[in-house]
Amino acid sequence: SGDVAIDDSKSPQHKAHHWMIKVDSMELAANAANLYQRYVLVILWNMMETVDKKKCFSINPGLHECDWYPQARGVEKGSRRPRLSCDSEMRIQTLHLNGCKLKGKIPDELRFLSDLTSINFNYNSLEGPIPSRLKKLHKYFVQTCHPFASLLAVY
């Protein structure tokens, strides 16, 4: 979201940036293949408005981000879909954060999840445009609590 969001100490981007530099024990290099996907997940974690964020997912500075979610290999409550799934190269392919109490602008940083094939943000309080990168994916499923929440978009 640019320098403005990172400079705003209340923004999820600033909090994610701080976590990656000060807390994250993975100490990823600037050219690490998973740097951006890790950053995006920490942004989303910081967008949650709940005391018990672990009900949806947890972040852990000692683990690869594909292993953060308690439901990563299992399924979200009431569904057969995993909240997060990664391919054999540990790249995020699906992200189902419906009902995770996400609030705010849909982060433009989602564009960094270039291997993403499915996303579900239903039952959250998100606003703003869906990043154009997401609209270009084939067989892409987008649901958000958004002015277009009633529409099912498959690209």
Side-chain angles (χ1 to χ4, degrees), residues 1-154:
S1 291
D3 294 336
V4 174
I6 288 199
D7 290 341
D8 177 1
S9 64
K10 295 180 183 177
S11 76
Q13 289 82 359
H14 176 86
K15 292 174 184 176
H17 181 256
H18 179 267
W19 185 89
M20 301 247 340
I21 292 172
K22 302 287 186 183
V23 178
D24 192 7
S25 60
M26 295 293 277
E27 298 178 0
L28 297 175
N31 63 347
N34 63 321
L35 177 69
Y36 286 114
Q37 76 176 18
R38 191 171 184 86
Y39 175 63
V40 170
L41 292 178
V42 179
I43 289 172
L44 292 168
W45 187 82
N46 279 293
M47 290 176 67
M48 283 194 296
E49 281 195 315
T50 180
V51 175
D52 190 8
K53 293 180 179 186
K54 291 180 183 179
K55 285 185 177 180
C56 199
F57 69 91
S58 298
I59 58 176
N60 186 322
L63 294 176
H64 190 281
E65 56 279 4
C66 288
D67 295 322
W68 281 351
Y69 295 74
Q71 297 91 350
R73 303 290 183 246
V75 296
E76 62 193 82
K77 188 176 181 180
S79 175
R80 295 179 185 242
R81 291 192 183 138
R83 289 223 180 259
L84 169 89
S85 67
C86 296
D87 63 16
S88 60
E89 296 178 18
M90 303 298 274
R91 294 179 303 214
I92 297 172
Q93 291 191 306
T94 65
L95 189 58
H96 294 185
L97 300 181
N98 49 304
C100 287
K101 298 185 180 179
L102 297 169
K103 184 176 182 178
K105 183 179 178 270
I106 297 171
D108 190 49
E109 290 85 357
L110 285 171
R111 73 183 186 277
F112 295 127
L113 301 180
S114 58
D115 293 293
L116 200 59
T117 59
S118 176
I119 192 168
N120 184 335
F121 283 164
N122 205 12
Y123 304 109
N124 286 294
S125 298
L126 297 173
E127 58 190 44
I130 296 170
S132 61
R133 167 69 178 101
L134 300 183
K135 293 177 185 176
K136 295 177 183 177
L137 296 174
H138 296 287
K139 296 182 182 178
Y140 199 83
F141 178 74
V142 177
Q143 287 185 353
T144 63
C145 280
H146 186 268
F148 305 107
S150 62
L151 299 176
L152 174 65
V154 180

